[in-house]
Amino acid sequence: MDKQICDVLIIGGGVVGCSIARELSKYHCNIILVEKEEDVCSGTSKANSGIVHAGYDAKPGSLKAEFNVKGNARMEELSKELDFEFKRNASMVLCFDLVDLPALEALLERGRANGVSDLSILSGDEVRRLEPNVTDEVIAALYAPTGGIVCPFGLTIAMAENACDNGVKFYFNTEVLAIEKTNDGYIAETNCGTYVTKYIVNAAGVYADKIHNMVSEVKLNIIPRRGEYLLLEKEAGKHVSSTVFQLPGKYGKGVLVTPTVHGNLLIGPTAMDQTDKDLTITTAEGYDEICVKAEKSVKDIPFRQVITSFSGLRSHESGNDFVLGEPKDAEGFFDAAGIESPGLTCAPALGKYLAEMVAKKGRFEENTDFNPRRKGITRVADLSMEEKRKLIQERPEYGTIVCRCENISEGEIVDAITRTLGARSLDGIKRRVRQGMGRCQAGFCTPRTVNILARETGIPLERICKNGTGSELLKEEGYEYDLS
Amino acid sequence: MIYHDLVIIGGGPAGLSAAVAAKESGLDDILIIERDYVLGGILNQCIHNGFGLHTFKEELTGPEYASRYIAMVKQLEIPYQLNSTVLDINKEKEITVVSSENGLETIKAKAIILAMGCRERPRGALNIPGLRPAGIYTAGTAQRLVNIEGHMVGKEVVILGSGDIGLIMARRMTLEGAKVKVVAELMPYSGGLKRNIVQCLNDFDIPLKLSHTVINIDGKKRVTGITLAEVGPDRKPIPGTEEYYSCDTLLLSCGLIPENELTKQIGASMNPVTSGPMVNDRLETDVEGIFACGNVLHVHDLVDYVSEEAALAGKNAAEYIVNEKAMTDEKETNVIKLKAENGVCYTVPQSIETSTMADKLTVRFRVADVFENRSICVYYDGKRISKKKKRVLAPGEMEQVVLLKTSLEEYPDLKEIVIRTEEES
């Protein structure tokens, strides 16, 4: 592949890039999305809290505030259109000290100014009636019934698949190395050839400053801000039912305790600035910090049931707000940069906003053939007995359980591999169907999943990867006897 | 709804032995449910020798040991169903099972034997800091990939944890041409059998570093190295003792966890120490007619003991079904609690019902630490009944005491039996 020509080149296949891709596919234009990793949802979008924020956090008037409330409002409808998991489980911000009450009141006012509905302040006892495991230290909380939780993989992958079904071309393992301005657009050089485009959308996450700075003299600076998390077994998933935040106080910024849409318990994140843009390490200090802070909010957390810890990188821009649209000196280049929390919540609204901006610029006509619907992967475990019986009768592969912890069938894994933008790695399968996400963390199913992936894709076994080239699971040569 | 007298969940060593014993006790309507495509369970991947010294008085490999029981099952014409996963069991002993071949089925049993085995503690549960690249395997997963699937998982290997599978895999990887650089163990003693340390590490000059742990994993895509550090008595890393090992693979052998998700679904009481269900002397859980044996009950060191224990569960389950009426009538029984104390971690069983007790009962347990010159003592309501001297006791090796029915009958009002270690003066 030497040269590709398109109207819009989207750089980055995270939740923001995929949202823009989907929204732009509502117009008649030729769209290509390039992603440097082997799959969509491989950077910041894959490792975050999965929270649909209510919208009381951001400063009124900021882009974050505007898109948060809009994004939150859109999420429910979108989850039905695109068949991904979303739940409005409510959130609360806990206050531990009388001196912090004015700050809690201020948060309430800020939320109201941002247009968040149904906010109220609860007393400590009211909080504990709703969440019996909240500690006695809590004296009050801001309660936001519109807060929710979402599967970040589900959301991103659903938008990507739908965009692809509506004509967007996706190229993976493709990293933009340089961008050159031409008379009527841009030329992007990648490790896999040249892309000639009229417009560029920069949704490169923690690398968005690098991409932006290739075309603009108004420099951006994105600091990867690492956040570590602990994920607990489903047995612990009902420890709280809403998302429990902490009001920032004299002990610093707190951590959240939340159920996930899949029923696990998630605790975190920490916040540590770093320079490396893909060093997603977890640390002993981070672990300790999470435990100590979480126990301030919620008592008796069964830390013995931690099944994994992970970390993600927030793309924090020095200006502290989203950077959206064309820089003064780079017409036709659209930034979607500095998208940190509440970026996941904002993504649907951000995508619409930027797509409209690009479409207006390019005078693209509406695509009346656009199909807004996407059907997710059928989950055997979620079906009724009768539905299960019927499905397995018709498709016996749904009767073979491969991942015993999450009860994922071979049929689901095959679907994850063979559908639009299908998985090409173990992590790709995991993000689509949760194979290996349970308590044994893929101990039992790895050998079987590797075989299914090789069988369905024709990739030789020794090249089956965890997450892209370099992460091969098996070594080529088996036997090496020295017979001398 | 399908009906069976006895359904055994799991076709590994425990399930097979239980099935054989149940059949030999006169029960005919038995079904073994196995999720893999062959019977034998984890023994199939244990291609090393050392199995069967107690059961068959000869040294067998894992697959050989399994094949003897599979042959018995086939000879006794005990039905089994492969590639089948149990999704749910309820108190009414209704089992929901799924397979490609038979679809979704509900089976109602008169008695159930739980023999699901155990799983390995994964990296996530160990909270090892660092990156999360490819090349981190639990020892058992690596064992399956190497021995069953025929794939090599790495070339330069570090092993964390000196459980038996880790020790076996240190030798196995070496024989397959890999360089095993070190085996690190958090505790000041190994969790594995002494014979495995000698035969798998010493014989191959693989160093064992006790009181060491992995404090960092390097490598963005595939493991490129790990950092070891010595730990103090609090098991926290000691600054300044860090040592870097370049490697492409980290194997974990850091403990086994009984797979009791189904047991919990049924609502059986669990023992927090064994992570298995509480059982009486018949190996029956506190849900009547549901028995447990093998590694689902507590993690064993030798398969021979699994077979012995499972045979007891099989025999008792058969008797339960055959004499169902008689047993329920005979509820006036003295229940004696078994208590572990002073260096003894737990006992299996946890209670004895004298009316149904066999003439001889083997109580198994593990000790909490490495002890020298101690004795294992048995107390009946505070009175010492027996004392057995032991030069060395180690957590890696299972211990046992045998209780005789005749001895218990001498104490008709007995409420509690305590098993404890005591220092020899």
Side-chain angles (χ1 to χ4, degrees), chain B residues 10-16 32 34 36-46 62-63 65-67 69-70 73 80 82 303:
Chain B
L16 294 173
I32 306 171
E34 166 57 42
D36 214 336
Y37 59 88
V38 281
L39 291 173
I42 232 70
L43 281 176
N44 290 319
Q45 67 185 55
C46 301
Y65 188 97
S67 71
Y69 273 95
I70 295 170
V73 163
Y80 55 89
L82 302 174
V303 72

Side-chain angles (χ1 to χ4, degrees), chain A residues 278 280 282 396 400 443 467 473, chain B residues 100 130 132 137 141 152 220-221:
Chain A
D278 52 14
T280 52
T282 56
T400 300
N467 52 17
L473 287 153
Chain B
S100 288
R132 288 166 304 288
Y137 293 98
T141 303
M152 196 53 177
K220 283 178 182 172
K221 288 289 185 181

Side-chain angles (χ1 to χ4, degrees), chain B residues 167-382:
Chain B
L167 300 175
I168 295 287
M169 281 311 287
R171 176 175 67 185
R172 189 75 191 101
M173 295 296 285
T174 307
L175 291 174
E176 287 296 335
K179 172 78 188 151
V180 178
K181 296 193 162 176
V182 65
V183 176
E185 168 60 57
L186 178 71
M187 305 303 285
Y189 51 83
S190 163
L193 294 168
K194 177 91 178 135
R195 70 172 194 214
N196 281 336
I197 294 178
V198 174
Q199 294 170 7
C200 300
L201 299 188
N202 300 357
D203 288 359
F204 293 87
D205 293 325
I206 299 167
L208 170 64
K209 292 203 158 203
L210 298 173
S211 299
H212 276 72
T213 195
V214 175
I215 59 158
N216 192 40
I217 298 172
D218 239 352
K220 283 178 182 172
K221 288 289 185 181
R222 172 92 197 189
V223 176
T224 55
I226 61 100
T227 307
L228 275 193
E230 194 180 338
V231 297
D234 60 353
R235 294 183 217 163
K236 297 257 187 249
I238 303 168
T241 63
E242 298 85 0
E243 230 181 317
Y244 186 81
Y245 288 82
S246 73
C247 57
D248 58 27
T249 303
L250 174 65
L251 297 188
L252 304 170
S253 176
C254 301
L256 300 171
I257 307 165
E259 276 258 281
N260 275 299
E261 279 60 38
L262 292 171
T263 321
K264 289 178 198 166
Q265 268 180 23
I266 302 166
S269 299
M270 302 295 296
N271 180 327
V273 182
T274 57
S275 299
M278 306 279 269
V279 289
N280 60 23
D281 55 293
R282 296 189 306 277
L283 302 178
E284 187 182 19
T285 67
D286 64 0
V287 180
E288 201 191 289
I290 296 189
F291 298 78
C293 57
N295 281 352
V296 82
L297 183 54
H298 60 136
V299 175
H300 294 63
D301 53 351
L302 297 184
V303 72
D304 301 77
Y305 298 144
V306 169
S307 298
E308 189 188 315
E309 180 183 280
L312 188 64
K315 179 174 160 283
N316 290 331
E319 275 171 15
Y320 169 83
I321 292 166
V322 174
N323 311 320
E324 202 176 3
K325 184 100 191 16
M327 304 260 296
T328 39
D329 286 348
E330 217 177 308
K331 268 297 164 200
E332 266 186 39
T333 174
N334 183 24
V335 178
I336 304 165
K337 295 273 167 222
L338 280 160
K339 204 173 151 195
E341 244 181 32
N342 200 37
V344 176
C345 291
Y346 67 86
T347 67
V348 169
Q350 290 91 12
S351 65
I352 298 172
E353 291 175 25
T354 47
S355 61
T356 52
M357 185 191 170
D359 294 340
K360 222 169 85 173
L361 174 70
T362 305
V363 178
R364 299 189 203 279
F365 57 91
R366 285 182 193 255
V367 293
D369 204 342
V370 174
F371 300 122
E372 283 182 15
N373 294 318
R374 286 211 182 191
S375 52
I376 293 167
C377 302
V378 179
Y379 285 79
Y380 285 2
D381 279 341

Side-chain angles (χ1 to χ4, degrees), chain A residues 41 342 348:
Chain A
C41 202

Side-chain angles (χ1 to χ4, degrees), chain A residues 10-14 16-18 20 35 201-206 208 211 334-337:
Chain A
I10 300 169
I11 303 169
V16 175
C18 292
I20 295 167
E35 164 58 50
V201 176
N202 171 22
V206 284
I211 299 293
F334 297 84
D335 277 314

Side-chain angles (χ1 to χ4, degrees), chain A residues 35-39 42-43 171-174 278 467, chain B residues 221:
Chain A
E35 164 58 50
K36 78 176 174 63
E37 299 298 326
E38 50 97 30
D39 192 4
S42 291
Y171 294 99
F172 296 108
N173 301 307
T174 304
D278 52 14
N467 52 17
Chain B
K221 288 289 185 181

